[in-house]
Amino acid sequence: MVAKTPPMGFNTWNTFGNDIHEDLIKETADAMVDHGLAELGYAYLVIDDCWSERERNAKGELVADPQKFPNGMKAVSDYVHSKGLKFGMYSCAGTRTCAWHPGSFDHEYQDAKTFASWGVDFLKYDYCSKPLMIPGEILYRRIAMALRNCGREILFSACNWGCDGIENWVRGAGIHMWRSTGDIEDNWVSLRNIAMSQMGKEYASGTYCFNDMDMLVVGMYGKGNVGLGGCSDTEYKTHFSLWCLMNSPLMIGCDVRSMTKETKDILCNKDMIAINQDIEGRQGYSIKQEWNGGDKNILVKPLSNGDYVIGLFNLSDSKSELRFTSFDFGLTENSKMAFSLTDVWEDRHAGTYFQDYRVELEPHDCQVLRAKIVER
Ligand code: GLA
């Protein structure tokens, strides 16, 4: 079974866009292993759009671009597998992909077989050039059925940007993760807007079917295909924390061959990854009190062992105090219990609290606390 917890890996689009080729994929696979990403759970190496020829062959099959992949996709897939990683590819529900390569419309079963023959383990499925007369849910259900019967287990990642009421039919369709937002860009406004737009949608996320807030921009620093502005390390830390608490798949989008120490420290934080990968798959819910404004958010994620993760996010542009009381999510005076807090990023005990907790946070910064419920 795939996608019991939010899928983790790497995707070419954010940094490389059209500029993909066999050597890049092999070097990325090497780097994922050498930098310890694979060991931490980043298992899928996914090639996004622009990998194919502009037209199908005479048999109607998809064909790899011979300039970019001279040895074909099976050779790339074999290399990725030889490193202990899983191999992902991309297609589209419409007649053309978003970069105008052939889409899988009306070729769903043929393409599923092709992907299976190449050893594909993950398929991202986009939504451009969709014929207007066919509802999207029919097209996603169709490819899901084709993938489920192609002779290989393939994780199905739907990418229709949260359109057409997908949250109502995604789970029934057999989809494992679904893009619930438009495309991310490597700047603060983009990632803040995505996070804010996803708060309150935790009803749709869970084991085997996760809301996908798009690939991570951590470590891009304004370089590459969606590197439109760049972020500070503090902003990348907040971005990663939001994605972890909100159960998003963690698909790295920077160039993993040349990560800074700061980027590695964020992407490789074991305690944050454990929060994202908690087996119960509960997405953090937002608690709002009158003393925290709309852009000062507190997310609470219950974990399977009884702990609670409390994320305090100052998404505003000014230094601010964030507050919560234990009463807001469970502890009453009569409970005789308190929160024993660990600051996850700083890896230190942050005190035992009953009633009021306050912290001053710099603009765009966050604090992630793991709370054990202890006797007072
Ligand atoms: C869409 C998707 C992106 C990426 C591009 C490729 O915009 O949302 O994630 O796959 O297409 O063209």
Side-chain angles (χ1 to χ4, degrees), residues 222-291:
K223 290 197 287 271
N225 191 36
V226 304
L228 302 164
C231 297
S232 67
D233 286 320
T234 297
E235 291 167 342
Y236 287 139
K237 181 188 84 174
T238 296
H239 165 36
F240 192 71
S241 304
L242 285 162
W243 267 233
C244 283
L245 265 79
M246 295 174 83
N247 266 10
S248 181
L250 300 177
M251 302 301 289
I252 297 172
C254 69
D255 186 344
V256 293
R257 298 170 303 173
S258 55
M259 291 182 289
T260 63
K261 178 184 178 301
E262 290 74 17
T263 296
K264 256 181 100 166
D265 286 348
I266 294 170
L267 294 174
C268 297
N269 186 300
K270 283 190 182 154
D271 297 324
M272 289 305 305
I273 292 173
I275 289 167
N276 175 263
Q277 294 290 302
D278 185 74
I279 198 67
E280 279 196 17
R282 299 189 191 280
Q283 179 173 322
Y285 60 87
S286 172
I287 53 167
K288 292 198 181 103
Q289 311 92 333
E290 69 271 17
W291 55 80

Side-chain angles (χ1 to χ4, degrees), residues 56 92-93 104-113 115 125 139 142-144 146-147:
R56 293 172 178 269
C92 184
S104 288
F105 176 71
D106 218 17
H107 289 270
E108 290 87 356
Y109 283 81
Q110 184 177 27
D111 291 353
K113 283 208 181 78
F115 289 130
Y125 206 61
L139 295 182
R142 192 188 291 176
I143 186 74
L147 291 174

Side-chain angles (χ1 to χ4, degrees), residues 256-358:
V256 293
R257 298 170 303 173
S258 55
M259 291 182 289
T260 63
K261 178 184 178 301
E262 290 74 17
T263 296
K264 256 181 100 166
D265 286 348
I266 294 170
L267 294 174
C268 297
N269 186 300
K270 283 190 182 154
D271 297 324
M272 289 305 305
I273 292 173
I275 289 167
N276 175 263
Q277 294 290 302
D278 185 74
I279 198 67
E280 279 196 17
R282 299 189 191 280
Q283 179 173 322
Y285 60 87
S286 172
I287 53 167
K288 292 198 181 103
Q289 311 92 333
E290 69 271 17
W291 55 80
N292 294 315
D295 50 8
K296 292 180 276 297
N297 259 286
I298 299 182
L299 294 177
V300 180
K301 177 172 165 66
L303 299 182
S304 49
N305 75 339
D307 289 359
Y308 281 68
V309 182
I310 306 160
L312 301 105
F313 295 94
N314 181 10
L315 305 182
S316 79
D317 295 333
S318 47
K319 188 168 180 166
S320 308
E321 179 181 84
L322 277 82
R323 285 174 67 185
F324 65 80
T325 73
S326 53
F327 183 76
D328 291 323
F329 41 99
L331 293 193
T332 58
E333 180 64 40
N334 278 344
S335 69
K336 305 275 185 278
M337 309 292 271
F339 292 136
S340 169
L341 300 175
T342 301
D343 183 316
V344 179
W345 284 108
E346 293 186 6
D347 196 20
R348 64 170 176 86
H349 182 60
T352 300
Y353 286 83
F354 178 64
Q355 294 180 330
D356 215 18
Y357 179 87
R358 297 164 187 245

